[in-house]
């Protein structure tokens, strides 16, 4: 029985947008939003606007979401230790899960407030509120665009993107309902728009929650086809059986794989392992592969599919 361990050191086409590219994006996004919060608090105090102060509080929670996503990116680059043999890579999955839960709580708050406002009349949004909301649309859209390219490849980046896109939508809702109320006096427009926006954000957040929860449970990452990997391994020269195949996510961008292969001839193991390591990376995006070669002369206790 041979045992070989391989570790990916470079990135394939599956991971074009590595989180390391987003340090400046996080810094810029957080700075912009902190400046906006200061402006909102100042106008809220000067104009005695509870709506502006409440929105500043909401934006502060979004800055916290960005900070958590950024910390996860930073932690993911830290070297492994004897206690944390994978390093802190999984923190990006936890950050995505936290941001999904955080967004769902925010949606619940928006929806609850909107439902309450249907029964109690709220004052018409003032011009100051509309102007500040317009600034909010620009700042949140610019910040969201910084993370747009990476949202498909990295769940943590998608969490940051959704946070800012959701904020831009909320600000847009304030502007639209504000103008309609000034023009028509229909106060029910405001809670209605808020509810519609809450539904749109919920749809976007649900997949983030589902995927981050799935990765937390070591599920196969999205975009990885286990049947194709199994078929590829079974068709390798002199391989007669594939078992104990597992694929999971070390982080939001790095899939790992372990597998046992039974071969009739093990003389060319090193060449096969080198080829396997490269092809699993290039064809399937596996960043970290551990392959155990067996001659098939002993009964492997992990061979049955239901044994882990």
């Amino acid at each position: 029985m041979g045992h070989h361990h391989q570790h990916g050191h470079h990135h394939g086409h599956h991971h074009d947008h590595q989180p390391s590219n987003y340090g400046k994006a996080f810094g810029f996004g957080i700075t912009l939003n902190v400046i906006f919060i200061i402006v909102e608090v100042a106008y809220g105090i000067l104009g005695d606007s509870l709506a502006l102060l409440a929105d500043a509080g909401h934006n502060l929670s979004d800055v916290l979401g960005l900070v958590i996503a950024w910390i996860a990116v930073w932690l993911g680059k830290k070297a492994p230790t004897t206690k944390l043999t994978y390093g802190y890579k999984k923190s990006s999955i936890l950050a995505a899960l936290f941001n999904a839960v955080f967004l769902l709580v925010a949606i619940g708050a928006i929806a609850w407030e909107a439902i309450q406002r249907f029964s109690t009349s709220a004052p018409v949004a003032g011009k100051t509120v509309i102007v500040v909301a317009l600034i909010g649309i620009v700042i949140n859209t610019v910040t969201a665009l910084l993370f747009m390219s990476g949202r498909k490849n990295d769940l943590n980046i998608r969490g940051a993107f959704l946070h800012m896109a959701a904020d831009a939508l909320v600000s847009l809702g304030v502007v639209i309902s504000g103008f309609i109320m000034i023009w028509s006096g229909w106060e029910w427009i405001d809670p209605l728009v808020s509810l519609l926006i809450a539904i749109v954000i919920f749809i976007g957040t649900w997949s983030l929650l589902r995927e981050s929860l799935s990765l937390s449970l070591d599920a196969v990452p999205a975009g990885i086809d286990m049947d194709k990997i199994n078929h590829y391994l079974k068709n390798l020269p002199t391989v007669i059986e594939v078992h104990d195949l597992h694929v999971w996510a070390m982080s939001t961008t790095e899939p790992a794989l372990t597998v046992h292969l039974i071969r009739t001839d093990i003389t060319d193991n090193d060449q096969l392992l080198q080829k396997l390591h490269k092809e699993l990376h290039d064809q399937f995006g596996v960043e970290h592969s551990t392959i155990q070669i067996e001659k098939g002369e002993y009964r492997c206790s992990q061979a049955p599919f239901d044994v882990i």
Side-chain angles (χ1 to χ4, degrees):
M1 183 188 87
H3 181 266
H4 195 91
H5 183 100
Q6 306 213 22
H7 195 156
H9 292 289
H10 56 287
H11 303 294
H13 63 275
H14 288 260
H15 311 297
D16 297 329
H17 303 283
Q18 286 301 306
S20 55
N21 301 340
Y22 291 95
K24 285 179 183 172
F26 277 115
F28 186 65
I30 290 165
T31 305
L32 265 183
N33 280 274
V34 167
I35 291 166
F36 181 49
I37 289 164
I38 293 165
V39 170
E40 275 194 308
V41 169
Y43 272 103
I45 293 166
L46 290 170
D48 200 24
S49 170
L50 199 62
L52 278 180
L53 290 172
D55 195 49
H58 170 69
N59 283 325
L60 190 62
S61 74
D62 284 320
V63 168
L64 179 62
L66 282 181
V67 168
I68 284 162
W70 195 8
I71 289 170
V73 169
W74 173 73
L75 283 174
K77 294 181 201 169
K78 286 178 79 69
T81 67
T82 50
K83 286 275 187 196
L84 292 155
T85 55
Y86 279 121
Y88 293 85
K89 289 182 181 295
K90 210 125 190 170
S91 57
S92 61
I93 296 170
L94 295 176
L97 182 60
F98 174 85
N99 269 322
V101 172
F102 210 14
L103 273 164
L104 287 175
V105 170
I107 293 161
I110 292 167
W112 177 251
E113 196 186 326
I115 290 162
Q116 284 186 316
R117 270 189 284 151
F118 273 118
S119 53
T120 58
S121 61
V124 175
K127 284 173 187 171
T128 309
V129 174
I130 292 171
V131 170
V132 174
L134 280 167
I135 298 166
I137 292 170
V138 174
I139 287 173
N140 292 316
T141 303
V142 166
T143 311
L145 289 172
L146 295 173
F147 301 108
M148 195 168 178
S149 63
R151 77 190 193 284
K152 289 179 181 172
N153 300 307
D154 187 342
L155 213 57
N156 186 33
I157 299 298
R158 196 203 302 179
F161 169 79
L162 275 174
H163 254 294
M164 303 330 295
D167 254 22
L169 269 176
V170 170
S171 295
L172 182 66
V174 170
V175 172
I176 292 169
S177 55
F179 275 120
I180 292 172
M181 285 192 296
I182 287 170
W183 173 71
S184 65
W186 298 338
E187 290 184 351
W188 53 267
I189 283 289
D190 189 33
L192 179 68
V193 169
S194 292
L195 268 181
L196 290 173
I197 286 166
I199 291 164
V200 170
I201 301 169
F202 177 79
I203 293 164
T205 305
W206 187 249
S207 65
L208 178 70
L209 177 72
R210 199 178 63 238
E211 281 187 52
S212 54
L213 199 56
S214 181
L215 292 187
S216 299
L217 295 169
D218 285 340
V220 176
I224 292 212
D225 191 325
M226 288 294 278
D227 291 334
K228 280 185 180 173
I229 291 179
N230 209 2
H231 181 263
Y232 163 76
L233 293 170
K234 278 181 176 171
N235 284 284
L236 289 166
T238 74
V239 168
I240 54 169
E241 191 189 303
V242 175
H243 62 260
D244 201 34
L245 172 61
H246 299 282
V247 178
W248 72 99
M250 289 191 299
S251 73
T252 48
T253 58
E254 295 167 287
L257 173 148
T258 58
V259 68
H260 292 198
L261 303 176
I262 297 180
R263 301 187 70 198
T264 53
D265 179 19
I266 58 171
T267 51
D268 64 338
N269 264 358
D270 284 358
Q271 294 96 306
L272 179 81
L273 288 167
Q274 207 160 4
K275 165 186 149 85
L276 258 178
H277 168 63
K278 187 177 187 308
E279 291 186 1
L280 283 170
H281 179 276
D282 294 349
Q283 290 183 38
F284 304 102
V286 173
E287 291 287 329
H288 181 111
S289 54
T290 306
I291 298 138
Q292 180 165 307
I293 306 288
E294 298 165 6
K295 189 74 161 60
E297 290 164 1
Y298 86 109
R299 187 176 171 84
C300 180
S301 61
Q302 289 169 311
F305 182 72
D306 58 345
V307 173
I308 298 167

